Coordinates of all heavy atoms in Angstrom, one line a residue:
R1 N 0.8 -1.2 0.0 CA 0.0 0.0 0.0 C 0.8 1.3 0.0 O 0.4 2.3 -0.4 CB -0.9 0.0 1.2 CG -2.1 1.0 1.1 CD -2.7 1.2 2.5 NE -1.9 1.9 3.4 CZ -1.7 3.2 3.4 NH1 -2.3 3.9 2.5 NH2 -0.8 3.7 4.3
S2 N 2.1 1.2 0.5 CA 2.9 2.4 0.7 C 3.1 3.2 -0.6 O 3.2 4.5 -0.5 CB 4.3 2.0 1.3 OG 5.0 1.1 0.4
P3 N 3.1 2.6 -1.8 CA 3.3 3.5 -3.0 C 2.1 4.5 -3.2 O 2.2 5.4 -3.9 CB 3.3 2.5 -4.1 CG 3.9 1.2 -3.6 CD 3.3 1.2 -2.2
G4 N 1.0 4.2 -2.6 CA -0.2 5.1 -2.6 C 0.2 6.5 -2.1 O -0.4 7.5 -2.6
E5 N 1.1 6.6 -1.1 CA 1.6 7.9 -0.6 C 2.3 8.7 -1.7 O 2.3 9.9 -1.7 CB 2.5 7.7 0.6 CG 1.9 6.9 1.7 CD 0.8 7.7 2.4 OE1 0.8 9.0 2.3 OE2 0.0 7.1 3.1
R6 N 2.9 7.9 -2.6 CA 3.6 8.6 -3.7 C 2.6 9.3 -4.7 O 2.9 10.4 -5.2 CB 4.4 7.5 -4.5 CG 5.4 8.1 -5.5 CD 6.1 7.0 -6.3 NE 6.6 6.0 -5.4 CZ 6.8 4.7 -5.7 NH1 6.5 4.3 -6.9 NH2 7.3 3.9 -4.8
A7 N 1.5 8.7 -4.8 CA 0.4 9.4 -5.7 C 0.0 10.7 -5.1 O 0.0 11.7 -5.9 CB -0.8 8.5 -5.8
I8 N -0.2 10.8 -3.8 CA -0.6 12.0 -3.2 C 0.6 13.0 -3.2 O 0.4 14.2 -3.5 CB -1.0 11.8 -1.8 CG1 -2.4 11.0 -1.8 CG2 -1.2 13.1 -1.0 CD1 -2.8 10.6 -0.4
A9 N 1.8 12.5 -3.1 CA 3.0 13.4 -3.1 C 3.2 14.0 -4.5 O 3.5 15.2 -4.6 CB 4.3 12.6 -2.7
Q10 N 2.8 13.2 -5.6 CA 2.9 13.8 -6.9 C 1.9 14.9 -7.1 O 2.2 15.9 -7.7 CB 2.6 12.7 -7.9 CG 3.7 11.6 -8.1 CD 3.3 10.6 -9.1 OE1 2.8 10.9 -10.2 NE2 3.6 9.3 -8.8
L11 N 0.7 14.7 -6.6 CA -0.3 15.8 -6.7 C 0.1 17.0 -5.9 O -0.1 18.2 -6.4 CB -1.6 15.3 -6.2 CG -2.2 14.1 -7.1 CD1 -3.5 13.6 -6.4 CD2 -2.6 14.6 -8.5
K12 N 0.7 16.8 -4.7 CA 1.1 17.9 -3.9 C 2.4 18.6 -4.3 O 2.9 19.5 -3.6 CB 1.0 17.5 -2.4 CG -0.5 17.3 -2.0 CD -0.6 17.3 -0.5 CE -2.1 17.2 -0.1 NZ -2.3 17.2 1.4
Q13 N 3.0 18.1 -5.3 CA 4.2 18.8 -5.9 C 3.6 20.2 -6.4 O 4.4 21.1 -6.5 CB 4.7 18.1 -7.1 CG 5.6 16.9 -6.7 CD 6.2 16.2 -8.0 OE1 7.4 16.2 -8.2 NE2 5.3 15.7 -8.8
W14 N 2.4 20.2 -6.8 CA 1.7 21.4 -7.2 C 1.3 22.2 -6.0 O 0.5 21.8 -5.2 CB 0.5 21.1 -8.1 CG 0.9 20.3 -9.3 CD1 1.3 19.0 -9.3 CD2 0.9 20.8 -10.6 NE1 1.5 18.6 -10.6 CE2 1.3 19.7 -11.5 CE3 0.6 22.0 -11.3 CZ2 1.5 19.8 -12.8 CZ3 0.7 22.1 -12.6 CH2 1.2 21.0 -13.4
A15 N 2.0 23.3 -5.8 CA 1.9 24.1 -4.5 C 0.5 24.5 -4.2 O 0.1 24.7 -3.0 CB 2.8 25.3 -4.6
I16 N -0.3 24.7 -5.2 CA -1.7 25.1 -5.0 C -2.5 24.1 -4.1 O -3.4 24.5 -3.3 CB -2.5 25.3 -6.3 CG1 -3.8 26.0 -6.1 CG2 -2.7 23.9 -7.0 CD1 -3.7 27.4 -5.8
L17 N -2.1 22.9 -4.1 CA -2.8 21.9 -3.3 C -2.2 21.7 -1.9 O -2.7 20.9 -1.1 CB -2.7 20.5 -4.0 CG -3.4 20.4 -5.3 CD1 -3.4 18.9 -5.9 CD2 -4.9 20.8 -5.1
R18 N -1.1 22.5 -1.5 CA -0.6 22.4 -0.2 C -1.4 23.3 0.8 O -1.6 23.0 1.9 CB 0.8 22.8 -0.2 CG 1.7 21.9 -1.0 CD 3.2 22.4 -1.0 NE 3.9 21.8 -2.2 CZ 4.9 22.3 -2.7 NH1 5.4 23.5 -2.3 NH2 5.5 21.7 -3.8
R19 N -2.0 24.4 0.2 CA -2.8 25.2 1.0 C -3.6 26.2 0.1 O -3.1 27.0 -0.6 CB -2.0 26.1 2.0 CG -2.9 26.8 3.0 CD -2.1 27.5 4.1 NE -3.0 27.9 5.2 CZ -3.3 27.1 6.2 NH1 -2.8 25.9 6.2 NH2 -4.1 27.5 7.2
L20 N -4.9 26.0 0.1 CA -5.8 26.7 -0.8 C -6.1 28.1 -0.1 O -6.3 28.2 1.1 CB -7.2 26.0 -0.9 CG -7.2 24.8 -1.8 CD1 -8.6 24.3 -1.9 CD2 -6.7 25.1 -3.2
R21 N -6.1 29.1 -0.9 CA -6.5 30.5 -0.5 C -7.7 31.0 -1.3 O -7.8 32.2 -1.6 CB -5.3 31.4 -0.6 CG -4.2 31.0 0.5 CD -3.0 31.9 0.4 NE -2.1 31.7 1.5 CZ -1.2 30.7 1.5 NH1 -1.1 29.8 0.5 NH2 -0.4 30.5 2.6
C22 N -8.5 30.1 -1.7 CA -9.7 30.4 -2.4 C -10.9 29.7 -1.7 O -10.7 29.1 -0.6 CB -9.6 30.0 -3.9 SG -9.3 28.2 -4.1
C23 N -12.0 29.7 -2.3 CA -13.2 29.0 -1.8 C -12.8 27.5 -1.6 O -12.4 26.8 -2.6 CB -14.4 29.1 -2.7 SG -15.8 28.2 -2.1
P24 N -13.0 27.0 -0.4 CA -12.6 25.5 -0.2 C -13.4 24.6 -1.1 O -12.9 23.5 -1.4 CB -13.0 25.3 1.3 CG -13.0 26.7 1.9 CD -13.4 27.6 0.9
N25 N -14.6 25.0 -1.5 CA -15.4 24.1 -2.3 C -14.8 23.9 -3.7 O -15.3 23.0 -4.4 CB -16.8 24.6 -2.4 CG -17.6 24.5 -1.1 OD1 -17.4 23.6 -0.4 ND2 -18.3 25.5 -0.8
R26 N -13.8 24.7 -4.0 CA -13.1 24.5 -5.3 C -12.0 23.4 -5.3 O -11.4 23.1 -6.3 CB -12.6 25.8 -5.8 CG -13.6 26.8 -6.2 CD -13.0 28.0 -7.0 NE -12.5 27.5 -8.2 CZ -11.2 27.7 -8.6 NH1 -10.4 28.3 -7.9 NH2 -10.8 27.2 -9.8
A27 N -11.8 22.9 -4.1 CA -10.7 21.9 -3.9 C -10.7 20.7 -4.9 O -9.7 20.3 -5.5 CB -10.6 21.4 -2.5
G28 N -12.0 20.2 -5.0 CA -12.1 19.0 -5.9 C -11.8 19.3 -7.3 O -11.1 18.6 -8.0
Q29 N -12.3 20.5 -7.8 CA -12.1 20.8 -9.2 C -10.6 21.1 -9.5 O -10.0 20.7 -10.5 CB -12.9 22.1 -9.5 CG -12.8 22.5 -11.0 CD -13.5 23.9 -11.2 OE1 -13.0 24.9 -11.0 NE2 -14.7 23.8 -11.7
I30 N -10.0 21.8 -8.5 CA -8.5 22.1 -8.7 C -7.7 20.8 -8.7 O -6.8 20.7 -9.5 CB -8.1 23.1 -7.6 CG1 -8.7 24.5 -7.8 CG2 -6.6 23.2 -7.6 CD1 -8.5 25.5 -6.7
T31 N -8.1 19.9 -7.7 CA -7.3 18.7 -7.7 C -7.4 17.9 -8.9 O -6.5 17.3 -9.4 CB -7.8 17.8 -6.5 OG1 -7.7 18.6 -5.3 CG2 -7.0 16.5 -6.3
R32 N -8.6 17.8 -9.5 CA -8.9 17.1 -10.8 C -8.1 17.7 -12.0 O -7.7 17.1 -12.9 CB -10.3 16.9 -11.0 CG -11.0 16.0 -10.0 CD -12.5 16.0 -10.1 NE -13.0 15.4 -11.3 CZ -13.1 14.1 -11.6 NH1 -12.7 13.2 -10.7 NH2 -13.6 13.7 -12.7
A33 N -8.1 19.0 -11.9 CA -7.3 19.7 -13.0 C -5.8 19.4 -12.8 O -5.1 19.1 -13.9 CB -7.5 21.2 -12.9
V34 N -5.3 19.4 -11.6 CA -3.9 19.0 -11.4 C -3.7 17.6 -11.8 O -2.6 17.3 -12.3 CB -3.5 19.3 -9.9 CG1 -2.2 18.6 -9.6 CG2 -3.4 20.8 -9.6
L35 N -4.6 16.7 -11.5 CA -4.5 15.3 -11.9 C -4.2 15.1 -13.4 O -3.3 14.4 -13.8 CB -5.7 14.5 -11.5 CG -5.8 13.1 -12.0 CD1 -4.7 12.2 -11.4 CD2 -7.2 12.5 -11.7
I36 N -5.1 15.8 -14.2 CA -4.9 15.6 -15.6 C -3.6 16.2 -16.1 O -2.9 15.6 -17.0 CB -6.1 16.3 -16.4 CG1 -6.2 15.7 -17.8 CG2 -6.0 17.8 -16.4 CD1 -6.6 14.3 -17.9
L37 N -3.1 17.3 -15.5 CA -1.8 17.8 -15.8 C -0.7 16.9 -15.4 O 0.3 16.7 -16.1 CB -1.7 19.2 -15.2 CG -2.6 20.3 -15.8 CD1 -2.5 21.6 -14.9 CD2 -2.2 20.7 -17.2
Q38 N -0.8 16.4 -14.2 CA 0.3 15.5 -13.7 C 0.4 14.2 -14.5 O 1.4 13.7 -14.7 CB 0.0 15.2 -12.2 CG 1.0 14.3 -11.6 CD 2.4 14.8 -11.6 OE1 2.6 16.0 -11.5 NE2 3.4 13.9 -11.7

């Protein structure tokens, strides 16, 4: 299971996902946008 942590680490290479400074409800949309880019 430990490689699963790598998946989250890849997403959080994108600094926007380390701390949002916008409406929290946009977190899902931003994460999915980052996913397609990653």
